[in-house]
Amino acid sequence: MDLQIQGRVALVCGAGSGLGQAIALALAQEGVRVAVTGRNSSKLQATVERIIADGGEAQAFQLDLAAPDTFDSVLAAIRQCWGAVDILVNNSGGPPPAKAAGTASELWRQQFAVMVDALIQLSDKVLPAMRQRGWGRIITSTSSGVVTPIPNLALSNALRMSLLGWSKTLASEVAADGVTVNVLVPGRIDTERVSQLDALKAQRENSTAAAVAAQSRRSIPMGRYGAPHEYGATAAFLASEPASYITGSVIRVDGGLIDAV
């Protein structure tokens, strides 16, 4: 299928590794010019090199979600390079494990600023040009915890869930302008973040990471963790022209893991 997005410009947050990198690679394979953003310059450059080696077009731009005062300069640099952003992929790093009770208020505020407020601010900065052109895509990557809360991940469960309400509301506001707004929900995708969570769970349960992963795979109907490229391909489709009638939706990429309808 021709996704009809060749030559479009995408800004992918957190594209140095994990799910963000997978999305950046998938978009580049479709001919999208990808602004690979994040904090770690060496990881960003590694993603750029992978894209270029595959014949794609990408550049690295350092963008720290904890420093929203730098967003304008980053967006200006992208515009100077390729033009305005057509596709925004909101993707923040996962917060530390935490209980719902007793977690310090300062940590809640700190994580809200990075995981929610910064993504909303960044979206607001690219939306006017999208609406003016009559075409745009905003895709927000979250967690399966927004559907079925994950024990010991209260920060992630609560804060990412707020992005669903924002995304659904925004989708209705900009739909008539040709801008779609959707949320992606990953299940157990085989990334460094998931490996870290498995290792932390193993420590809590006096087990091993391998045993935890095996138990986790047994809870997934497909019997395996998802591959990053499978998640990236779903994001690329949501960014496509054929997906232009999908908006305000929450799309699961979970191998059947989430029990809720």
Side-chain angles (χ1 to χ4, degrees):
M1 179 186 292
D2 179 7
L3 298 188
Q4 301 171 42
I5 50 176
Q6 185 170 0
R8 295 287 187 183
V9 177
L11 187 166
V12 182
C13 298
S17 62
L19 300 179
Q21 182 186 69
I23 294 172
L25 293 171
L27 289 170
Q29 288 171 359
E30 297 299 326
V32 175
R33 298 165 175 171
V34 183
V36 176
T37 75
R39 294 180 299 174
N40 189 311
S41 58
S42 61
K43 287 185 176 182
L44 297 179
Q45 193 56 41
T47 301
V48 169
E49 289 172 2
R50 284 186 63 179
I51 289 172
I52 292 174
D54 288 339
E57 188 173 355
Q59 286 200 39
F61 299 86
Q62 283 203 296
L63 186 148
D64 186 352
L65 293 175
D69 57 325
T70 65
F71 291 174
D72 285 336
S73 61
V74 173
L75 291 170
I78 295 171
R79 283 195 301 270
Q80 185 174 13
C81 185
W82 293 313
V85 171
D86 298 299
I87 301 162
L88 172 64
V89 178
N90 285 321
N91 173 51
S92 68
K99 298 288 188 181
T103 297
S105 295
E106 178 57 30
L107 184 56
W108 281 104
R109 288 192 293 269
Q110 180 188 68
Q111 291 300 318
F112 177 84
V114 175
M115 296 177 59
V116 181
D117 187 50
L119 299 182
I120 293 173
Q121 288 191 54
L122 187 58
S123 299
D124 278 344
K125 289 182 181 297
V126 301
L127 267 169
M130 289 181 178
R131 300 177 82 172
Q132 185 177 30
R133 294 193 305 275
W135 200 97
R137 302 286 185 264
I138 295 180
I139 301 167
T140 301
S141 181
T142 57
S143 160
S144 62
V146 302
V147 181
T148 304
I150 303 169
N152 208 45
L153 291 181
L155 289 166
S156 177
N157 296 336
L159 297 179
R160 294 193 197 280
M161 197 173 291
S162 66
L163 290 170
L164 268 66
W166 164 77
S167 183
K168 181 66 173 178
T169 307
L170 178 63
S172 297
E173 294 175 359
V174 300
D177 299 317
V179 179
T180 67
V181 185
N182 291 292
V183 171
L184 270 179
V185 174
R188 305 291 287 178
I189 308 296
D190 192 9
T191 62
E192 183 179 346
R193 164 74 171 173
V194 168
S195 296
Q196 290 171 347
L197 292 174
D198 284 349
L200 288 170
K201 184 176 181 181
Q203 290 177 6
R204 293 195 305 272
E205 298 179 353
N206 194 27
S207 182
T208 66
V212 167
Q215 180 184 32
S216 183
R217 285 193 293 271
R218 287 194 293 271
S219 71
I220 303 170
M222 283 193 174
R224 64 177 177 86
Y225 284 1
H229 73 83
E230 294 173 309
Y231 192 76
T234 307
F237 177 72
L238 285 177
S240 73
E241 189 62 33
S244 60
Y245 203 59
I246 301 173
T247 196
S249 294
V250 178
I251 309 298
R252 304 175 186 180
V253 188
D254 70 342
L257 170 66
I258 300 171
D259 290 332
V261 176

